[in-house]
Amino acid sequence: MTMPLDPEADAARLRGAMAEDLTARGFLDDPAWRAPVETVPRHRFVPGFYLPGGERGGRGLTVWQPVTAALDYGRWLAAAYSDTTLITQFDGNEPDWKVPAERHGGAPTSSSTLPSLVLRMWADADVREGHTVLEIGTGTGYSTALACERLGSGGVTSIEVDGRRLEQAASALHACGYTPTLAVADGLYGYWPEAPFDRIVSACSFRAVPPALVAQTRPGGKILLTLSGWLYGCARVLLTVAEDGTAEGRLLGGTVSFMSARTHAAPAFGNPAHWAAELTGEPRAARHAPERITAATEEAFHLRFLAQSAVRDAQLVTVGDVVHLVDVVSGSAATLTPDGDGGREVREGGPVRLWEGVERVLDAYDAAGGPGPETFTLCVHEDGQHLRHPRLPCLSLPSP
């Protein structure tokens, strides 16, 4: 005789196991966050999601397999209570979870962030009882529910740019008894009707700190967000807002990244071969290999962000063994081609010498002894947003 499925009972057991695991790994040091983890039913916020398959499909694209309770109950519930990011949307298109289809490639545009990172964000922002919080990027609503469980629904405002996503999150939140303030809004502009806030925490990344967020934070309040750009270099920063409306804070360590705010996403740049064909100048030997900023290392992750701050409108793509840098704003471009002796030849064109700008940052970084992200301070003032370090030239972020 087959026993009936009981997701609520099974989920309670799995939540307890997830809380134990997160505690053992140091993500639940604050006991005030353990109760929300043990209480909030994550599975109700993810009725369907995608997980990567074991093999790549045609053209090397990732094969994304749909996971729902109807397709595979055990896999669905186990994944819901694993420390894993669950992709819920690609390319802004909402799936039909009643008849989900396998996907080949695509750009994730919404997800349920892995629980350890959600907790890390709330903890890094120093969110405590009595605070009013603005969350940017409701997504599935799971992180919103954790905040409601800790602070009470009255202290939580969450905004989402995608109305369909917010509708589903709102349904899940209300079904679980949570009633935060929810709104369809662009995180670039915050949410004035509920301002000011003690804390603003963003689950999407920005090219620079949106001024509206600084204006909507109480003096002494904090803003935690991820900075990113068109080179896909990322850094997290925790800013404290001063009485005069300026904000300063240190970069945080680690290799955390979030999807870009849709208004800050990189533009399409066309065919790299077309850009390369315009480079008619003589090549030179590269002083630094592109692997300095593209390698899968923590240092390269940090260097990519610093380099991006020097060539703010550049994008990078590798085709075969040729690395292309393209700047759609100035029309500049650069290519790095193997020279046959283990090095790279650089060709550059346009008003901005892109790879030369990257190399200046790498030279200065090496001369300073390779300082880590925690040694940099971001200053947000009326005259701009500047990344400062005592042994490095000042770097500027693009206009928000």
Side-chain angles (χ1 to χ4, degrees):
M1 178 179 175
T2 302
M3 296 296 291
L5 301 179
D6 188 352
E8 300 307 320
D10 293 340
R13 174 178 53 81
L14 291 171
R15 277 198 301 278
M18 184 173 74
E20 289 289 345
D21 174 66
L22 292 172
T23 300
R25 292 162 53 211
F27 293 108
L28 271 178
D29 293 336
D30 183 351
W33 283 111
R34 176 154 183 157
V37 172
E38 292 178 328
T39 302
V40 175
R42 191 186 187 203
H43 69 283
R44 294 200 194 178
F45 295 88
V46 285
F49 48 85
Y50 288 96
L51 293 176
E55 298 181 1
R56 289 187 177 271
R59 301 183 181 178
L61 298 175
T62 300
V63 176
W64 294 95
Q65 299 174 342
V67 181
T68 66
L71 290 172
D72 188 333
Y73 171 80
R75 188 185 188 198
W76 167 72
L77 200 58
Y81 291 102
S82 65
D83 192 28
T84 305
T85 292
L86 306 173
I87 306 299
T88 55
Q89 186 193 79
F90 286 90
D91 304 317
N93 299 317
E94 199 66 31
D96 181 353
W97 292 115
K98 295 179 181 177
V99 286
E102 186 175 84
R103 290 190 57 98
H104 289 232
T109 47
S110 190
S111 67
S112 177
T113 302
L114 65 162
S116 62
L117 179 52
V118 172
L119 293 166
R120 181 176 170 185
M121 294 289 286
W122 290 129
D124 285 346
D126 191 26
V127 171
R128 288 177 261 162
E129 285 77 3
H131 282 162
T132 55
V133 172
L134 171 65
E135 177 190 41
I136 298 173
T138 312
T140 65
Y142 174 68
S143 61
T144 316
L146 291 175
C148 290
E149 191 66 38
R150 170 79 186 264
L151 304 175
S153 296
V156 179
T157 298
S158 187
I159 61 175
E160 170 62 51
V161 72
D162 187 325
R164 294 167 301 173
R165 283 275 86 218
L166 188 69
E167 183 178 359
Q168 294 189 31
S171 295
L173 285 161
H174 294 159
C176 293
Y178 303 116
T179 56
T181 297
L182 300 173
V184 177
D186 189 330
L188 188 64
Y189 305 102
Y191 198 62
W192 283 103
E194 295 297 317
F197 302 99
D198 297 301
R199 298 290 187 269
I200 295 180
V201 178
S202 178
C204 64
S205 63
F206 297 96
R207 297 185 73 203
V209 180
L213 302 189
V214 177
Q216 292 175 30
T217 304
R218 286 192 178 94
K222 298 179 187 296
I223 303 169
L224 179 67
L225 53 76
T226 302
L227 299 169
S228 67
W230 296 347
L231 282 185
Y232 299 104
C234 297
R236 287 194 313 148
V237 64
L238 180 63
L239 297 165
T240 300
V241 176
E243 291 279 355
D244 62 1
T246 62
E248 291 192 7
R250 291 291 181 95
L251 300 189
L252 305 180
T255 56
V256 173
S257 62
F258 281 101
M259 299 171 193
S260 294
R262 297 188 186 183
T263 46
H264 279 191
F269 56 79
N271 187 335
H274 296 165
W275 293 82
E278 298 296 316
L279 304 178
T280 57
E282 289 297 314
R284 66 171 178 86
R287 296 198 307 276
H288 296 278
E291 288 75 20
R292 288 292 305 273
I293 64 172
T294 61
T297 66
E298 193 162 328
E299 182 182 52
F301 188 89
H302 173 46
L303 280 174
R304 180 175 267 216
F305 175 73
L306 297 181
Q308 173 182 275
S309 299
V311 289
R312 293 175 291 181
D313 300 317
Q315 298 181 66
L316 181 149
V317 62
T318 301
V319 181
D321 55 5
V322 179
V323 175
H324 299 260
L325 282 165
V326 172
D327 180 341
V328 301
V329 176
S330 70
S332 304
T335 61
L336 291 97
T337 307
D339 62 9
D341 295 319
R344 293 270 182 170
E345 286 185 344
V346 184
R347 275 193 171 88
E348 298 183 274
V352 180
R353 292 298 185 258
L354 297 175
W355 193 247
E356 189 175 311
V358 172
E359 289 182 320
R360 283 197 296 270
V361 171
L362 297 179
D363 288 341
Y365 172 84
D366 291 340
E374 300 92 339
T375 62
F376 288 81
T377 299
L378 180 65
C379 305
V380 180
H381 298 258
E382 284 188 0
D383 62 344
Q385 301 186 18
H386 305 292
L387 196 60
R388 303 188 186 278
H389 189 280
R391 300 193 303 277
L392 287 167
C394 179
L395 295 169
S396 299
L397 300 187
S399 297

